[in-house]
Amino acid sequence: MPVTRNRRPWVAAVAALGAALTLTSPASGAGEPAPSPFAAAWTAGAPVQVAPGVTHTTWTERTPALRTSARILQIVEIDPTAGSLTLESTVGTADATAQTLTEQLASVTHVTARHPYAGVNGGLFQREPAAAGADPTTPHTGVSATDGVLHSASCWSGGRGSSGAVIQYGLPYVTRLRTDLKLTGPTGETVRIDDVNRMPGRAPHCARDAEDTPTGIPNVFTDPDEIVLFTDDYGRAVPGPGTDPAVPATADPGFEVVVDAHGVVTEAREGRGGTAVPAGGHVLQGIGTGAAWLRARLVRDDTVTIGQKLHDVTTDRDVPLDASVDVVSSFHTLLLSGEVPAALPDSCGGTEKGTDGTTLICTDSRTALGTNVRGRPVLVTLTGRDNEDGDYLRSFAALLDSPELGIVDALNLDGGGSTTLQTRAGVQTPPTDLVGGTRVHRKVADAVYAGVGGYGLYVRP
């Protein structure tokens, strides 16, 4: 990878000395880089070995400036050469159901000795309203996939897709991704599938195609003509009509098709909802013209093909959706090839006045997934010691760009109350959501974890 700034070789040199290195030299000489502000403002604790190849380092802010207390930056580094390690994502016991990070990681395996070594919460999500007698569901924002199975489609963004990280063979890389989903009927006719594992007519957080339009409800888009695919990872009965009274398109009774693991239609019926997805199979729900397409072409015992493509927009190549591929998504890339993207906004969902009583500071905790100059994956959180406290997006990116950390690529994951880091020693970040007067860790849609796996690169003499 080409060097993009004069100080990049210094970054690599500093990072190679270890995350705890601080700059103590006097004034820089001619041609030498200026001392890093990070070194003066943050102190590293002793690295803790969570497992062979998994190291947890905590940096504490020395000068909180306008904050009432110091923030905590935590980094888990995964060295794939140290043994049989893997990096993967999980949606927990069911894709439709949010769970705490602890619950997500516990669902990875029932064998205690193989529980993940460390993990963080995953990508953005948005709750859907609860159907009658059921809890709210939690569709993802942008592309999500585990073991090659898509759980949501990409944001449209004028055909440019959305930011995400492809995790393959235990290593992540940050890019832009676009999905292409289609259904082929028994006569060879095809139709677009709009999304995966969310109610038809209601797209959370971003438009999935050019036909999706804003509803007037914050972060909700709508399309009255859709086909949505449900996978057996959904883990509950598929939604029925009228689940969201605020979005009229969701009231369409629609048409529903049940497909078994062999691609054979077992049911094709008017109406939709209340159906369990068969093991290895799918349920297709259509509304508007989507329902008309299903109704006119599919009957019991027909064979259909469900095509799912994941396209890397940056490299203009398709990513094979096989068991080696997981994907987590975001609206924002923080670092790419050692640079803060010019398009990264300086946004923040929660601000409050600093100790001077006037200056606004950002209190959004932050989570990131990235890779450092040693080619090792890193999991990152920025929080208060016992409260939610983070930074504006661009300031967080600049923090991760500090030479002591040596991070090259980084994807912003869900933040705020979702930000959670857990190691074998327990949860390392404070609970910040208030439920019934008690602070709790937020339930999230997915997680990224380092654990036991066969993708590690064994140490060679």
Side-chain angles (χ1 to χ4, degrees), residues 76-169:
V76 173
E77 182 184 74
I78 300 109
D79 179 3
T81 68
S84 187
L85 293 173
T86 190
L87 184 77
E88 299 188 51
S89 72
T90 177
V91 294
T93 56
D95 187 48
T97 306
Q99 296 175 294
T100 64
L101 178 65
T102 298
E103 293 168 331
Q104 294 257 353
L105 299 186
S107 71
V108 170
T109 174
H110 66 280
V111 180
T112 303
R114 294 203 295 266
H115 278 180
Y117 299 129
V120 293
N121 61 285
L124 279 69
F125 64 96
Q126 188 181 78
R127 293 293 188 98
E128 287 182 332
D135 293 330
T137 53
T138 52
H140 305 265
T141 298
V143 189
S144 171
T146 54
D147 298 331
V149 177
L150 286 175
H151 300 301
S152 59
S154 66
C155 294
W156 173 238
S157 303
R160 296 180 297 109
S162 46
S163 296
V166 176
I167 305 171
Q168 188 173 31
Y169 304 124

Side-chain angles (χ1 to χ4, degrees), residues 87-287:
L87 184 77
E88 299 188 51
S89 72
T90 177
V91 294
T93 56
D95 187 48
T97 306
Q99 296 175 294
T100 64
L101 178 65
T102 298
E103 293 168 331
Q104 294 257 353
L105 299 186
S107 71
V108 170
T109 174
H110 66 280
V111 180
T112 303
R114 294 203 295 266
H115 278 180
Y117 299 129
V120 293
N121 61 285
L124 279 69
F125 64 96
Q126 188 181 78
R127 293 293 188 98
E128 287 182 332
D135 293 330
T137 53
T138 52
H140 305 265
T141 298
V143 189
S144 171
T146 54
D147 298 331
V149 177
L150 286 175
H151 300 301
S152 59
S154 66
C155 294
W156 173 238
S157 303
R160 296 180 297 109
S162 46
S163 296
V166 176
I167 305 171
Q168 188 173 31
Y169 304 124
L171 296 171
Y173 69 91
V174 178
T175 186
R176 290 192 71 88
L177 298 164
R178 188 179 66 238
T179 50
D180 179 16
L181 312 176
K182 69 178 181 180
L183 172 67
T184 303
T187 63
E189 291 183 275
T190 64
V191 65
R192 183 178 185 275
I193 296 174
D194 291 78
D195 210 344
V196 183
N197 289 355
R198 54 95 170 160
M199 69 175 73
R202 184 187 191 279
H205 258 139
C206 65
R208 299 313 200 266
D209 59 31
E211 284 73 49
D212 289 358
T213 58
T215 59
I217 303 169
N219 299 321
V220 176
F221 295 77
T222 190
D223 183 351
D225 303 299
E226 287 197 319
I227 295 176
V228 171
L229 175 75
F230 292 87
T231 68
D232 64 354
D233 300 88
Y234 193 64
R236 62 186 296 174
V238 296
T243 302
D244 188 353
V247 182
T250 69
D252 188 327
F255 195 80
E256 187 170 274
V257 176
V258 182
V259 181
D260 69 14
H262 305 288
V264 177
V265 175
T266 60
E267 297 286 344
R269 53 176 173 250
E270 294 293 335
R272 58 187 176 87
T275 305
V277 184
H282 299 89
V283 169
L284 292 155
Q285 286 191 345
I287 60 172

Side-chain angles (χ1 to χ4, degrees), residues 3-51:
V3 174
T4 54
R5 280 188 292 194
N6 291 336
R7 70 181 180 89
R8 279 294 145 193
W10 178 59
V11 172
V14 172
L17 294 177
L21 183 64
T22 57
L23 302 179
T24 57
S25 60
S28 301
E32 293 182 4
S36 164
F38 183 88
W42 293 80
T43 301
V48 175
Q49 187 180 62
V50 178

